[in-house]
Amino acid sequence: MMEKIQAFLREVGRSAGVEDWIIEVLSKPEKVYKATLTIKMDDGTIRTFPAYRVQYNTARGPAKGGIRFHPNVTEEEVTALAFWMTIKNAVVNIPYGGGKGGVAVNPKELSRNELERLSRAYVRAFAEAFGVDKDIPAPDVYTNPQIMAWMLDEFETIVRRKEPGFITGKPISLGGSLVRDIATALGGFYVVEEVLRDVDLEKPTVAIQGFGNAGSNFARLASEAGWKVIAVSDSKGGIYDPDGLDIEEVLRTKKETGSVINYEGARRISNEELLTLDVDLLVPAAIENVITEKNVEEVKAKVILELANGPTTPEADRILQKKGVVVVPDVLANAGGVTVSYFEWVQNRTGEYWKEEEVKRKLSEKMKTAYKDVKEESEDLTKLREGAYRLAVKRVAEALRWRF
Ligand code: GLU
């Protein structure tokens, strides 16, 4: 994984015209914290879980990025994700470096009490790494506002003062920000509105893979905008109706039955089929590496909005570019989440809380400015990913030059 990042940096670094020493600095994480969390389970047995926090680069500000609870978590994966947070935070120009944390655990196997003990143990293990001016965690895969609340409570107990800005993605009553819950989808929506204007596509037809926080909220935003959402899916499979799905009904079905596939009146399709439907806008909002060499030739969408992290493999990406598909890269498309995390942190630090409309207006402005900046750095609309990377590396390089 690190070799990939190093190769990537050499290529982008060259096209961004940055010095070799900057590439060298960015090729390795600044700091890696590791621990083994030992937890007493409800039945009295003891289990251990490997845990990590990586501060990849802090040239632009304190480290920022989520904590994931997932069985596949490794030091390498968390390090790579912390690198991508460094890039993402620079793309949207918020005053942070990049970080990420994780615990190798399947949280679905834990009771609520076990999950609480694990969350608190995580904070105890890494307490000296965190702080409102040092490193600010947030939710990521399989972590949520309740987990943020336990972590905040543990941290405040350790430091013996209130410090709500230590963590973002908190419940509103503990200092969370309005709009944070839908921020990833909304940020992607603001960007794609601009993209669609640039490619002269009004009211696109839409297919969305993944119906978690990002996918389901995007589906609602799209249907509220009068766009025809013709297919959605979750891990159990997908549904397709060329006349458009009733998204409120799909949301209800997901909530009541646990999956979108129980929606009535649509054709069942596979996750694989969804990606190759004849739509204007395709939104991968689930897992990584779903658009690959194997299926990319069948992809018919004109625009792809990467709400998931890393849904397109580099090989597939090159082919999409040749086909003239406009891909909004993950580091821009899903940066709305961390952007509202930044707003949350600002509100915690000033003690002044913003209305919903104000958060939305600020998010819209940030995302639209980031898109404009990325566009200016890109040769054309099929090369937004390269542009975003170049822009981010230039921004981090500029901060590094002042420090060294
Ligand atoms: N986990 C989210 C991301 O990957 C949000 C991070 C944050 O809010 O700090 O962008």
PDB file of all heavy atoms in Angstrom, residues 199 300 391:
ATOM      1  N   VAL A 199     -21.688  20.129 -17.882  1.00  0.00           N
ATOM      2  CA  VAL A 199     -21.827  19.176 -18.995  1.00  0.00           C
ATOM      3  C   VAL A 199     -23.222  19.259 -19.627  1.00  0.00           C
ATOM      4  O   VAL A 199     -23.612  18.381 -20.409  1.00  0.00           O
ATOM      5  CB  VAL A 199     -21.524  17.711 -18.571  1.00  0.00           C
ATOM      6  CG1 VAL A 199     -20.091  17.561 -18.085  1.00  0.00           C
ATOM      7  CG2 VAL A 199     -22.499  17.223 -17.505  1.00  0.00           C
ATOM      8  N   LYS A 300     -22.085   2.915 -18.544  1.00  0.00           N
ATOM      9  CA  LYS A 300     -22.667   3.824 -19.545  1.00  0.00           C
ATOM     10  C   LYS A 300     -22.899   5.237 -19.017  1.00  0.00           C
ATOM     11  O   LYS A 300     -23.288   6.131 -19.765  1.00  0.00           O
ATOM     12  CB  LYS A 300     -23.987   3.241 -20.050  1.00  0.00           C
ATOM     13  CG  LYS A 300     -23.782   1.916 -20.780  1.00  0.00           C
ATOM     14  CD  LYS A 300     -25.091   1.215 -21.103  1.00  0.00           C
ATOM     15  CE  LYS A 300     -24.852  -0.245 -21.466  1.00  0.00           C
ATOM     16  NZ  LYS A 300     -24.484  -1.091 -20.295  1.00  0.00           N
ATOM     17  N   LEU A 391      -3.601  19.792  -6.895  1.00  0.00           N
ATOM     18  CA  LEU A 391      -3.978  20.922  -6.040  1.00  0.00           C
ATOM     19  C   LEU A 391      -3.617  20.626  -4.583  1.00  0.00           C
ATOM     20  O   LEU A 391      -3.017  21.458  -3.889  1.00  0.00           O
ATOM     21  CB  LEU A 391      -5.489  21.164  -6.171  1.00  0.00           C
ATOM     22  CG  LEU A 391      -6.111  22.194  -5.235  1.00  0.00           C
ATOM     23  CD1 LEU A 391      -5.676  23.603  -5.622  1.00  0.00           C
ATOM     24  CD2 LEU A 391      -7.641  22.104  -5.265  1.00  0.00           C
TER      25      LEU A 391
END
